């Protein structure tokens, strides 16, 4: 029972480099999310996909792009990494609709931008 | 815009004590609220989900309540144990459609034996 799988677990980038964080869920969930977690700032929503084929901005979308590749996969791309994007990134998923909002989280990706 | 606040930021208690964690939110139209637990270096685990039609939810030694009129939710932990040491976060809907959640900054609980 894998649940939500994120890759990689750790990554170090130089300023200006690009990379894609991968996320896949095997629970047949409709909705998927990307959050970042920073000390003192808590967990903040970057982008979400309420259903396959849709994506929407969250609280802190600047500097990121997302792709809902299919129902299982939701990727987060940093086109030109900045030190301010050093953070722990979490992917999550849930069924869609009221009464089905329970979120399931991946184990996170620790990203450092030098 | 929904804002979620948790007080206190940190709490230390001796084993066996009953305790309450607080969560407040600004949008009284909230229709559900969720409590999570996060262990150091780990992802979040959903503990309890309360719909607005419910006043509370219980799971083992945990009881969560939701009072929309006052904009507050509480997580009650009975007979605390060292294994309860973790960060507890509450989350409410980010938008009217409820298609995403936003989080409070959490309360870090330490239970000493």
């Amino acid at each position: 029972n894998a649940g939500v799988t994120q890759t990689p677990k750790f990554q170090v980038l130089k300023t200006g480099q690009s990379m894609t964080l991968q996320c896949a869920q095997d629970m047949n969930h409709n909705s998927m999310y990307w959050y970042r977690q920073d000390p003192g700032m808590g967990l903040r929503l970057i982008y979400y996909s309420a259903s396959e084929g849709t994506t929407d901005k969250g609280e802190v979308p600047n500097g990121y792009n997302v792709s809902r590749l299919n129902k299982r996969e939701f990727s987060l791309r940093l086109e030109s990494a900045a030190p301010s994007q050093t953070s722990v990134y979490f992917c999550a998923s849930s069924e869609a609709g009221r009464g089905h909002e329970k979120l399931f989280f991946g184990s996170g990706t620790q990203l450092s931008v030098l | 815009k929904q804002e979620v606040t948790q007080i206190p930021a940190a709490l230390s208690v001796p084993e066996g004590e009953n305790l309450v964690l607080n969560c407040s939110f600004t949008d009284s139209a909230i229709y559900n609220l969720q409590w999570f637990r996060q262990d150091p270096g780990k992802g979040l685990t959903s503990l309890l989900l309360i719909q607005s039609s419910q006043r509370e939810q219980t799971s083992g030694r945990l009881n969560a309540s939701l009072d929309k009129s006052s904009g507050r939710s509480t997580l009650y932990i009975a007979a605390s144990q060292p294994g309860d040491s973790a960060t507890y976060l509450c989350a409410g809907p980010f938008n009217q459609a409820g298609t995403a959640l936003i989080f409070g900054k959490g309360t870090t609980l330490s239970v000493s034996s």
Side-chain angles (χ1 to χ4, degrees), chain A residues 31 33 35 37 40-43 45 48 50 57-59 90 98-103 105-107, chain B residues 1 31-32 34 36 38 41-44 46 49 51 89 94-96 98-103 105:
Chain A
S31 303
Y33 316 85
Y35 290 88
Q37 188 172 37
M41 298 299 293
L43 206 67
L45 180 65
Y48 63 99
K57 296 179 180 179
E59 301 171 90
F90 288 101
R98 299 215 179 174
H100 299 284
E101 300 92 345
K102 183 175 180 179
L103 242 59
F105 277 82
S107 57
Chain B
K1 176 190 169 190
Y31 56 83
N32 67 62
Q34 199 163 162
F36 293 82
Q38 185 177 29
K42 305 290 187 183
L44 282 72
S46 179
L49 168 62
Q51 301 292 344
L89 300 98
F94 171 65
N95 53 21
Q96 286 298 318
T99 43
L101 297 182
I102 61 169
F103 285 77
K105 294 182 180 179

Side-chain angles (χ1 to χ4, degrees), chain B residues 61-75:
Chain B
R61 293 181 295 106
L62 305 179
N63 176 276
S65 66
L66 175 62
D67 184 347
K68 288 180 56 179
S69 62
S70 66
R72 294 179 61 185
S73 177
T74 60
L75 179 66

Side-chain angles (χ1 to χ4, degrees), chain A residues 34-52:
Chain A
W34 277 105
Y35 290 88
R36 60 177 289 174
Q37 188 172 37
D38 304 286
M41 298 299 293
L43 206 67
R44 292 179 292 172
L45 180 65
I46 305 172
Y47 269 94
Y48 63 99
S49 171
S51 60
E52 187 178 358

Side-chain angles (χ1 to χ4, degrees), chain A residues 59, chain B residues 1-4 25-30 92-95 102:
Chain A
E59 301 171 90
Chain B
K1 176 190 169 190
Q2 179 75 271
E3 293 183 9
V4 181
F25 44 90
T26 54
D27 185 357
S28 61
I30 193 169
F94 171 65
N95 53 21
I102 61 169

